[in-house]
């Protein structure tokens, strides 16, 4: 979902600086801050010039507290920082759609039984 994508962007961009590390047994897991701390973490990150402002803005739009104001797929297309990733994803999906339509996709054969 879009909220989870925003959390992933935040984790990748900030690492341990704005997130929290949970230690269990012999493993450590990096998690986003609790929902009430996300806005603060992103605001603090925005003051650091080494952070990509476009990615921060996208993450902030995706993790908005109110689901009604969270960014949608069409709004994400407006973020310059995501343009290359969107183009790659669309080309991958387009190639899969073409091979499925032509009946040459092995994954489609397994799922449809043809």
């Amino acid at each position: 979902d879009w909220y989870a994508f925003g959390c992933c962007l935040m984790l990748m961009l900030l690492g341990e600086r704005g997130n929290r590390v949970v230690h269990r047994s012999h493993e450590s897991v990096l998690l986003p801050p609790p929902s009430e701390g996300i806005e603060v973490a992103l605001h603090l990150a925005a003051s650091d010039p080494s952070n990509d402002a476009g990615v921060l803005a996208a993450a902030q739009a995706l993790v908005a507290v109110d689901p009604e104001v969270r960014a949608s797929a069409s709004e994400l297309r407006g973020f310059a920082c995501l343009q290359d990733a969107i183009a790659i994803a669309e080309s991958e999906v387009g190639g899969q759609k073409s091979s499925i339509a032509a009946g040459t996709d092995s994954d489609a054969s397994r799922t449809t039984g043809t």
Side-chain angles (χ1 to χ4, degrees):
D1 67 33
W2 295 121
Y3 183 85
F5 179 48
C7 287
C8 289
L9 285 176
M10 195 168 102
L11 289 168
M12 290 186 293
L13 183 65
L14 303 180
E16 291 183 19
R17 291 176 296 148
N19 297 296
R20 59 192 166 121
V21 179
V22 176
H23 303 280
R24 292 262 169 148
S25 191
H26 300 293
E27 297 181 358
S28 298
V29 178
L30 184 63
L31 298 172
S35 57
E36 62 274 1
I38 289 177
E39 192 172 318
V40 172
L42 289 171
H43 180 72
L44 289 172
S47 65
D48 182 348
S50 68
N51 288 324
D52 185 310
V55 176
L56 276 171
Q60 196 163 22
L62 288 164
V63 297
V65 175
D66 182 355
E68 296 296 320
V69 299
R70 269 184 212 142
S72 64
S74 60
E75 291 165 325
L76 289 177
R77 291 177 174 279
F79 285 98
C81 62
L82 299 176
Q83 295 305 304
D84 289 343
I86 289 170
I88 291 167
E90 285 178 337
S91 97
E92 290 291 322
V93 170
Q96 290 175 4
K97 284 182 180 178
S98 298
S99 62
I100 290 170
T104 58
D105 182 65
S106 59
D107 288 335
S109 304
R110 284 192 298 257
T111 58
T112 61
T114 57

